[in-house]
């Protein structure tokens, strides 16, 4: 079982991007034992492209879900992921990765992640860093080092099972990292050249607009339990990131709108207490030091 990993990719109408992801996975220095791709009701050429690659690579398996009539972000993506997870026996693998089909990966991506997790058994989940292409240059999406990125969540299967997997709620890709820290494990990402990947669809965007995506992020932070001061500081830190100022305003308005409407929050009081304490410490000393202190106590 050592060094066996399985990829699970929810997708819907990804014909424009998916060949780049498919080709860079097929070209990995260490191939997955299996890749389950869940077609969540695509109406473009996605099914034909998937059939083409599955015919050439026997370790690619396609799971088809009924068309719900629209792209479902957040909980809908997790539901599609679990359609793929249900098609495997997790104990057959050491690692599992939720992988989006709008990425271009470097050739040793999964080999390096597994090597680093083997070297440090405290790492529960990890990833590289996302970049976008603008004018021929690679621009970082600026994710924190204390999280694994949602578009490529690489997990130790034992840890994934121990935290109960992904919650089927918005902000699932933040909740899981904090749950790992609650158990004394590390969630992280590295900005090494060999682990930098291209995100073909901008972070925080949606099928409607990037502002809708940023508002959704703000609502997700509210749902998770993030306090207003931490949310404001997070939004302020992104004022110089496109779309300048307005993107940060949309994030903050998403949080405020949910608070004004008294939307429900994640029903885990112990988690929310842990999150608030961590965020309050991060406001005082920075996220990096707050995370190191937490790991030192674990």
């Amino acid at each position: 079982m050592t060094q066996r990993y399985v990829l699970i990719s929810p997708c819907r109408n990804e014909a424009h991007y998916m060949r780049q992801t498919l080709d860079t996975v097929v070209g990995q220095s260490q191939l997955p034992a299996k890749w389950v791709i869940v077609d969540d009701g695509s109406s473009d050429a996605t099914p034909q492209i998937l059939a083409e690659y599955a015919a050439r690579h026997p370790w690619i398996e396609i799971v088809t879900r009924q068309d719900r009539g629209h792209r479902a972000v957040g909980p809908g993506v997790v539901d599609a992921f679990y359609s793929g997870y249900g098609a495997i026996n997790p104990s057959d693998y050491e690692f599992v990765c939720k992988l989006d089909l709008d990425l271009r990966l470097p050739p040793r991506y999964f080999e390096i992640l597994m090597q680093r997790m083997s070297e440090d058994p405290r790492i529960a989940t990890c990833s590289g860093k996302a970049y976008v292409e603008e004018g021929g240059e690679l621009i970082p999406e600026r994710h924190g080092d204390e999280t694994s990125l949602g578009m490529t969540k690489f997990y130790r299967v034992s840890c994934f099972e121990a935290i109960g997997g992904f919650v089927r709620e918005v902000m699932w890709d933040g909740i899981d990292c904090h749950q790992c820290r609650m158990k004394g494990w590390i969630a992280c990402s590295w900005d090494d050249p060999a682990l930098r990947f291209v995100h073909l669809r901008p972070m925080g965007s949606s099928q409607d607009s990037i502002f809708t995506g940023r508002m959704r992020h703000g609502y997700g932070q509210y749902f998770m339990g993030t306090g207003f001061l931490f949310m404001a500081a997070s939004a302020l830190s992104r004022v110089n990131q496109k779309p300048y100022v307005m993107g940060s305003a949309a994030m903050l308005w998403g949080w405020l709108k949910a608070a004004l409407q008294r939307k429900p929050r994640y029903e885990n009081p112990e988690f929310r207490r842990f999150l608030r304490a961590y965020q309050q410490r991060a406001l005082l000393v920075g996220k990096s030091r707050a995370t190191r202190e937490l790991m030192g106590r674990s």
Side-chain angles (χ1 to χ4, degrees):
M1 187 184 71
T2 302
Q3 301 292 284
R4 282 172 58 86
Y5 71 99
V6 56
L7 305 178
I8 300 177
S9 295
C11 71
R12 177 184 169 87
N13 294 337
E14 295 287 6
H16 183 67
Y17 301 114
M18 62 192 303
R19 285 188 184 275
Q20 295 187 58
T21 310
L22 287 158
D23 288 340
T24 54
V25 169
V26 169
Q28 286 295 299
S29 58
Q30 189 161 343
L31 292 174
K34 181 180 280 291
W35 188 5
V36 182
I37 304 177
V38 182
D39 181 4
D40 197 17
S42 296
S43 58
D44 64 357
T46 292
Q48 291 76 29
I49 296 172
L50 292 178
E52 172 191 334
Y53 280 81
R56 294 206 306 262
H57 306 285
W59 41 271
I60 295 179
E61 177 181 342
I62 311 303
V63 173
T64 302
R65 284 166 54 99
Q66 184 176 358
D67 184 8
R68 68 167 67 86
H70 60 91
R71 180 186 292 272
V73 297
V77 170
V78 177
D79 281 342
F81 169 87
Y82 274 109
S83 290
Y85 198 72
I88 67 168
N89 180 359
S91 63
D92 289 342
Y93 309 96
E94 188 174 358
F95 305 103
V96 60
C97 179
K98 181 264 182 192
L99 182 73
D100 288 357
L101 288 188
D102 58 356
L103 311 174
R104 189 163 70 243
L105 302 170
R108 297 183 60 228
Y109 185 74
F110 295 112
E111 175 194 347
I112 294 171
L113 293 184
M114 289 188 292
Q115 176 184 339
R116 294 194 179 185
M117 294 184 84
S118 296
E119 291 170 351
D120 189 345
R122 298 175 303 162
I123 300 175
T125 179
C126 61
S127 75
K129 294 290 192 185
Y131 282 71
V132 294
E133 291 179 319
E134 292 184 7
E137 296 184 3
L138 289 179
I139 309 299
E141 285 195 336
R142 292 169 52 184
H143 294 272
D145 294 341
E146 73 291 338
T147 184
S148 59
L149 277 56
M151 67 286 285
T152 165
K153 285 273 184 185
F154 198 82
Y155 256 96
R156 204 181 299 273
V157 169
S158 58
C159 296
F160 185 74
E161 294 276 325
I163 66 168
F166 300 135
V167 299
R168 304 189 191 212
E169 302 283 357
V170 66
M171 201 48 66
W172 60 271
D173 54 343
I175 291 171
D176 70 304
C177 290
H178 291 295
Q179 286 177 327
C180 288
R181 279 187 281 274
M182 286 178 69
K183 290 185 175 294
W185 296 326
I186 295 171
C188 62
S189 53
W190 297 287
D191 191 21
D192 295 354
L195 290 174
R196 293 172 181 170
F197 60 89
V198 177
H199 194 190
L200 302 169
R201 182 183 290 113
M203 177 190 70
S205 62
S206 78
Q207 69 273 23
D208 299 317
S209 75
I210 195 166
F211 297 105
T212 300
R214 295 294 171 84
M215 284 185 62
R216 185 177 67 227
H217 176 80
Y219 163 66
Q221 289 286 347
Y222 171 85
F223 171 83
M224 183 170 68
T226 294
F228 176 74
L229 287 179
F230 190 87
M231 185 69 240
S234 178
L236 183 63
S237 72
R238 294 187 177 275
V239 293
N240 63 344
Q241 185 176 4
K242 291 182 179 179
Y244 303 119
V245 181
M246 294 303 297
S248 293
M251 287 169 55
L252 195 57
W253 174 238
W255 190 101
L256 287 169
K257 183 179 179 181
L260 292 170
Q261 294 177 342
R262 297 185 180 275
K263 294 278 189 180
R265 304 191 101 163
Y266 182 40
E267 294 181 354
N268 186 331
E270 180 187 4
F271 173 89
R272 296 205 308 271
R273 285 193 296 270
F274 173 88
L275 177 68
R276 288 293 184 93
Y278 170 74
Q279 291 179 339
Q280 288 169 6
R281 184 61 179 162
L283 285 173
L284 290 174
V285 300
K287 285 195 292 185
S288 295
R289 179 174 170 182
T291 303
R292 290 196 304 271
E293 290 176 353
L294 191 61
M295 293 301 100
R297 292 198 299 268
S298 301

